[in-house]
Amino acid sequence: MNSPSTQFVTSRRMGVFEPIHQISMWDESFRSSGNFNASASMILDEDTKLDNQSEDASHGILGPSSKYDQEATKPTDKVQRRLAQNREAARKSRMRKKAYVQQLETSRLKLIQLEQELDRVRQQGVYIGGGLDTNPLGFSGTINSGITTFEMEYGHWVEEQNRQSCELRNALKACISDVELRFLVDNGMSHYFELFSMKSTAAKADVFYVMSGMWKTSAERFFSWIGGFRPSELLKVLQPHLDPLTDQQLLDVHNLRQSCQQAEDALSQGMDKLQHTLAETVAACQLDEGSYVPQMANAMERLEALVSFVTQADHLRRETLQQMSRILTTRQAARGLAALGEYFHRLRALSALWATRPREPA
């Protein structure tokens, strides 16, 4: 595998280095095929009649009919077991959904409290000095609306992620066909791509909110990198759940991880350069002059680059998922997506346990 070409290009307009990366693509020969809507229904002809009866009529036993009844009960028992498993999985899914809805409602109440607090600050006439007619914390009605919409969409996204992970685990236990399993894998991949699209829209509304990871739980924020997970680290977490891997697969995963680390290093260096340049811009001239409108205008231009960093980081995450899907078999990819969903679920559970831990009185 070729390592991604990573370089820095100097932006004359912003005066910062923006990392440009490209990850080598695996062979595009992979194409999923098959009818995902294959019917699994059984048709039973009700007009079938027995033409011949057993000669031993005194015992009242029909040989062919008794044999048919025994065979007919076998799929019925299997269906009943499958239905029972599905009911249990649905019950657990409803319990998890209820817990996340309660968590989302708590977050919504906290957001309302924060907005009320900001309203009180604005009513008291607290503004940044130097004649800038804006509030000191950088919120506006449009930004609040965009972020509130994102939080609601993300809450639904988490619910759907949990449902899909449960569906993948049940499908792997049921040993369904690879065609049906590929359909579930493609749905899972598309679900993550939807999150990246949502984040892109939210970053344009408030890139600092997305970068801070405030839309995630505390444990998830601990592992956050440019508004999301670090692909190279996630590969190390998931690899044990993908075994057994062939020698070629092990080599491909190793090369992919190295490529991710190079791209991550380039983005991190670009972020450091942006922070340094932004600090110099804000601190330009004397700090005690009182009027700094020109410096703020220049800083705003440089902050536009921050949105591109979030976009590039999500692009790297997207490419990593796609290339892992090409390296792995369908069942390995299904196990990987199920493990990925379970990993994030455990981080959220860890956050909830930490928030509700017993505390000693001060």
Side-chain angles (χ1 to χ4, degrees):
M1 175 185 299
N2 296 325
S3 299
S5 57
T6 306
Q7 58 183 343
F8 291 111
V9 177
T10 304
S11 173
R12 295 182 179 179
R13 182 174 65 85
M14 299 181 182
V16 300
F17 290 107
E18 295 186 15
I20 306 299
H21 68 276
Q22 175 184 2
I23 297 181
S24 301
M25 301 296 292
W26 268 261
D27 184 15
E28 297 293 341
S29 61
F30 170 78
R31 295 290 185 273
S32 59
S33 61
N35 180 12
F36 297 131
N37 296 321
S39 174
S41 60
M42 298 179 60
I43 301 176
L44 182 63
D45 188 354
E46 298 179 352
D47 295 331
T48 303
K49 298 181 179 180
L50 297 174
D51 295 330
N52 299 316
Q53 296 182 352
S54 174
E55 294 180 358
D56 191 6
S58 61
H59 291 84
I61 300 175
L62 299 180
S65 176
S66 175
K67 210 172 187 182
Y68 176 84
D69 290 341
Q70 293 177 0
E71 292 296 325
T73 58
K74 291 184 179 179
T76 302
D77 293 341
K78 185 176 181 181
V79 169
Q80 291 297 330
R81 288 195 301 270
R82 180 70 59 83
L83 289 175
Q85 293 174 353
N86 290 344
R87 283 194 296 269
E88 179 63 18
R91 185 185 68 82
K92 293 180 180 179
S93 178
R94 286 193 298 271
M95 292 176 62
R96 287 193 295 266
K97 179 178 179 181
K98 183 178 179 181
Y100 281 112
V101 168
Q102 292 175 347
Q103 183 180 1
L104 183 61
E105 179 64 18
T106 301
S107 299
R108 186 184 69 84
L109 293 176
K110 290 181 179 179
L111 179 62
I112 292 175
Q113 293 174 356
L114 178 60
E115 291 176 345
Q116 292 174 348
E117 187 98 17
L118 292 173
D119 287 337
R120 285 195 295 270
V121 172
R122 283 193 290 265
Q123 290 172 4
Q124 293 172 0
V126 180
Y127 298 101
I128 294 179
L132 291 178
D133 186 18
T134 182
N135 68 75
L137 299 181
F139 286 88
S140 68
T142 303
I143 291 178
N144 277 339
S145 175
I147 295 306
T148 301
T149 300
F150 170 76
E151 284 192 339
M152 293 178 61
E153 291 177 345
Y154 180 68
H156 295 312
W157 186 91
V158 169
E159 294 176 5
E160 178 62 17
Q161 183 196 36
N162 292 332
R163 189 197 67 79
Q164 288 188 2
S165 298
C166 181
E167 187 176 21
L168 278 170
R169 289 193 298 270
N170 291 337
L172 288 168
K173 293 177 181 178
C175 297
I176 64 175
S177 67
D178 283 356
V179 173
E180 295 174 292
L181 200 57
R182 171 53 60 178
F183 178 74
L184 297 179
V185 168
D186 290 342
N187 278 347
M189 297 279 288
S190 298
H191 192 55
Y192 282 98
F193 299 160
E194 180 185 350
L195 174 61
F196 302 149
S197 177
M198 290 162 47
K199 286 173 57 183
S200 176
T201 302
K204 295 174 183 176
D206 186 357
V207 67
F208 290 114
Y209 172 84
V210 176
M211 286 286 296
S212 67
M214 292 303 296
W215 44 283
K216 292 187 171 187
T217 59
S218 55
E220 290 176 290
R221 288 198 300 272
F222 181 71
F223 296 98
S224 184
W225 172 78
I226 311 185
F229 59 83
R230 188 183 288 268
S232 61
E233 291 297 322
L234 204 61
L235 288 176
K236 286 194 281 188
V237 171
L238 293 181
Q239 184 168 338
H241 300 277
L242 306 176
D243 290 335
L245 295 172
T246 65
D247 292 341
Q248 183 61 47
Q249 286 177 322
L250 287 171
L251 178 61
D252 290 342
V253 172
H254 173 74
N255 291 337
L256 176 59
R257 186 160 59 241
Q258 284 190 327
S259 298
C260 289
Q261 288 174 343
Q262 293 176 6
E264 291 164 6
D265 291 342
L267 282 172
S268 296
Q269 292 172 12
M271 283 287 296
D272 292 341
K273 181 62 178 178
L274 176 61
Q275 289 178 339
H276 178 71
T277 305
L278 186 60
E280 289 181 338
T281 302
V282 173
C285 301
Q286 296 297 323
L287 292 177
D288 57 353
E289 287 183 349
S291 177
Y292 43 82
V293 175
Q295 288 82 0
M296 292 301 100
N298 291 335
M300 288 292 292
E301 290 184 2
R302 284 163 172 74
L303 281 178
E304 293 178 2
L306 196 55
V307 178
S308 72
F309 278 102
V310 175
T311 302
Q312 291 180 69
D314 277 343
H315 179 73
L316 176 60
R317 287 182 269 264
R318 180 190 183 106
E319 288 295 313
T320 302
L321 289 175
Q322 287 181 325
Q323 293 192 27
M324 282 299 292
S325 178
R326 296 186 183 101
I327 294 172
L328 303 175
T329 65
T330 298
R331 294 195 174 274
Q332 287 173 332
R335 292 206 308 269
L337 280 177
L340 183 60
E342 180 65 22
Y343 175 71
F344 288 127
H345 173 73
R346 292 183 183 184
L347 286 179
R348 297 180 195 117
L350 177 62
S351 298
L353 291 172
W354 176 255
T356 58
R357 71 189 185 282
R359 295 178 176 84
E360 295 182 0

